[in-house]
């Protein structure tokens, strides 16, 4: 007959451990339910990540999160994110007035920078963790733009200058077609004359002369070939310059928005790192204000 121990090495009975675990889970869900019913977003965040809340808001260490309890709501993350987004986005609209948000599926939000034409999709808002998940490529452009602006340069300035110089070169090829034609006639006459001196035992000097003329004619033909497609290339380059200039303009709007709000890019980054604490502290302050008004 199988004997089953009802204790754990002489400690608590198994049934007691089970009951305590169930009670802990029930209490957690009841607290969360009450917080949702009271629209107590601060309490919800405390329940979702007790360790982080204790460290950043209470300024004290806390034992590790009880994942066995907190994972009870893993299947509600989208709904909780949607629920918690209202107050958070209201707060962000004041703290980051240049960011706009789009809920593209329940509880998931895209960030857009600015309300001007060709604004950028700048990443996503992680509501449950109160953080921005920026598009790293777009963020790197913005950071580099600030760095270059301090040196009096623009983000796409060098590339625009390269394209402008290339267009000048291509236009010069188009404009110099008559000069090339005249030069080719002159070289062909020289080649004919040199060829007439070509005998059974051609001198090395005459052979070198003919080879040099042929090389020059070949170079002129290559220039003619490039000139035939130059107009299309100039048009494509101009379109690229236009796009790069538009991007420079957008970046200048973004820099101005950040400087007007935060004073510097460094302070913007600092605010991003402190967003969790800043937002939850604002909820604490709002709660105290409501109590005072009552």
């Amino acid at each position: 007959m199988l004997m089953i121990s009802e204790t754990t090495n002489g400690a608590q009975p198994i049934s007691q451990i089970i009951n305590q675990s169930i009670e802990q889970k029930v209490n957690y869900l009841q607290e969360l339910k009450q917080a949702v019913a009271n629209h107590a977003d601060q309490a919800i965040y405390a329940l979702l990540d007790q360790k982080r809340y204790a460290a950043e808001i209470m300024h004290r260490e806390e034992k590790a999160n009880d994942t066995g309890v907190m994972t009870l709501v893993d299947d509600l993350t989208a709904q909780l994110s949607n629920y918690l987004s209202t107050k958070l986005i209201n707060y962000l609209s004041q703290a980051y007035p240049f960011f706009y948000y789009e809920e593209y599926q329940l509880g998931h939000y895209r960030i857009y920078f600015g309300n001007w034409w060709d604004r950028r999709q700048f990443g996503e808002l992680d509501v449950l963790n109160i953080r921005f998940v920026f598009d790293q490529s777009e963020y790197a452009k913005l950071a580099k733009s600030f760095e270059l602006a301090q040196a009096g340069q623009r983000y796409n300035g060098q590339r625009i200058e390269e394209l402008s110089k290339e267009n000048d070169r291509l236009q010069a090829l188009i404009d110099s077609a008559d000069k090339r034609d005249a030069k080719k006639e002159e070289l062909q006459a020289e080649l004919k004359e040199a060829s007439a001196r070509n005998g059974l035992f051609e001198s090395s000097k005459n052979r070198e002369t003919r080879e040099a003329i042929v090389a020059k004619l070949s170079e002129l033909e290559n220039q003619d070939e490039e000139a035939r497609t130059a107009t299309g290339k100039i048009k494509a380059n101009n379109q690229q310059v236009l796009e790069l200039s538009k991007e420079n303009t957008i970046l200048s709007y973004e820099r101005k928005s950040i400087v007007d709000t935060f004073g510097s890019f460094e302070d913007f980054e600092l605010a991003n790192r402190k967003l969790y604490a800043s937002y939850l502290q604002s909820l604490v302050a709002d709660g105290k204000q409501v109590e005072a008004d009552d």
Side-chain angles (χ1 to χ4, degrees):
M1 181 176 180
L2 177 63
M3 302 296 293
I4 301 176
S5 172
E6 291 190 358
T7 64
T8 56
N9 297 327
Q12 293 175 301
I14 293 296
S15 59
Q16 185 177 345
I17 293 175
I18 293 172
N19 288 335
Q20 287 177 346
S21 179
I22 292 173
E23 184 177 0
Q24 186 180 11
K25 294 176 188 294
V26 169
N27 288 342
Y28 177 83
L29 291 175
Q30 286 179 336
E31 287 184 48
L32 185 59
K33 179 182 178 182
Q34 190 62 46
V36 171
N38 294 337
H39 297 279
D41 289 17
Q42 171 197 345
I44 296 172
Y45 278 112
L47 289 166
L48 291 177
D49 194 340
Q50 296 164 350
K51 181 179 180 180
R52 186 181 184 189
Y53 187 89
E56 297 196 36
I57 306 303
M58 308 301 292
H59 303 294
R60 60 181 173 82
E61 291 186 3
E62 184 79 3
K63 65 180 181 180
N65 286 323
D66 186 346
T67 55
V69 170
M70 296 171 64
T71 54
L72 290 171
V73 293
D74 277 356
D75 61 340
L76 292 175
T77 54
Q79 290 81 0
L80 285 167
S81 177
N82 174 272
Y83 179 87
L84 292 167
S85 67
T86 302
K87 288 183 181 179
L88 176 58
I89 290 177
N90 284 341
Y91 171 84
L92 293 175
S93 68
Q94 300 298 317
Y96 296 78
F98 43 81
F99 281 159
Y100 296 82
Y101 308 91
E102 174 194 23
E103 186 176 23
Y104 62 93
Q105 68 182 65
L106 185 68
H108 295 267
Y109 299 85
R110 294 190 181 101
I111 303 170
Y112 292 90
F113 201 132
N115 58 356
W116 42 78
W117 92 105
D118 279 359
R119 65 180 181 174
R120 299 174 186 271
Q121 182 182 324
F122 210 66
E124 297 202 5
L125 173 64
D126 181 348
V127 174
L128 296 185
N129 291 297
I130 313 179
R131 68 188 182 105
F132 297 122
V133 183
F134 292 129
D135 181 295
Q136 290 303 301
S137 175
E138 298 297 341
Y139 193 84
K141 284 181 186 178
L142 180 62
K144 186 65 174 179
S145 175
F146 268 98
E147 179 186 332
L148 290 170
Q150 291 180 347
Q153 301 173 14
R154 306 191 76 185
Y155 182 76
N156 292 312
Q158 182 176 346
R159 182 56 182 154
I160 289 173
E161 183 178 353
E162 291 171 353
L163 289 168
S164 297
K165 287 181 177 178
E166 174 66 3
N167 277 358
D168 289 343
R169 186 187 70 83
L170 292 171
Q171 188 60 52
L173 280 177
I174 295 172
D175 296 342
S176 60
D178 290 343
K179 290 183 179 180
R180 283 197 303 278
D181 288 342
K183 185 64 177 178
K184 282 189 290 184
E185 288 183 8
E186 177 184 333
L187 289 171
Q188 286 166 351
E190 291 178 8
L191 181 61
K192 184 177 180 181
E193 181 180 346
S195 298
R197 296 195 298 268
N198 181 17
L200 182 61
F201 301 103
E202 181 183 17
S203 68
S204 60
K205 182 177 180 181
N206 194 61
R207 183 171 62 254
E208 290 172 359
T209 298
R210 285 194 311 105
E211 290 174 351
I213 294 171
V214 170
K216 289 178 182 179
L217 284 168
S218 178
E219 181 181 351
L220 292 172
E221 289 293 344
N222 289 338
Q223 291 176 5
D224 282 345
E225 181 63 30
E226 189 174 11
R228 281 190 279 273
T229 60
T231 299
K233 290 179 180 177
I234 289 173
K235 184 177 180 180
N237 287 345
N238 283 337
Q239 182 61 35
Q240 191 174 351
V241 167
L242 177 61
E243 295 299 323
L244 293 172
S245 298
K246 285 169 60 178
E247 185 173 53
N248 278 348
T249 300
I250 296 297
L251 285 166
S252 70
Y253 286 161
E254 293 174 355
R255 289 198 311 274
K256 185 178 186 304
S257 296
I258 287 174
V259 170
D260 287 348
T261 304
F262 295 98
S264 70
F265 187 66
E266 290 73 20
D267 287 336
F268 167 68
E269 292 186 303
L270 178 62
N272 299 338
R273 291 194 295 270
K274 296 171 59 178
L275 181 57
Y276 178 90
S278 298
Y279 174 58
L280 291 183
Q281 286 165 357
S282 77
L283 292 180
V284 173
D286 288 346
K288 291 180 178 178
Q289 183 62 48
V290 169
E291 290 177 5
D293 292 342
D294 291 343

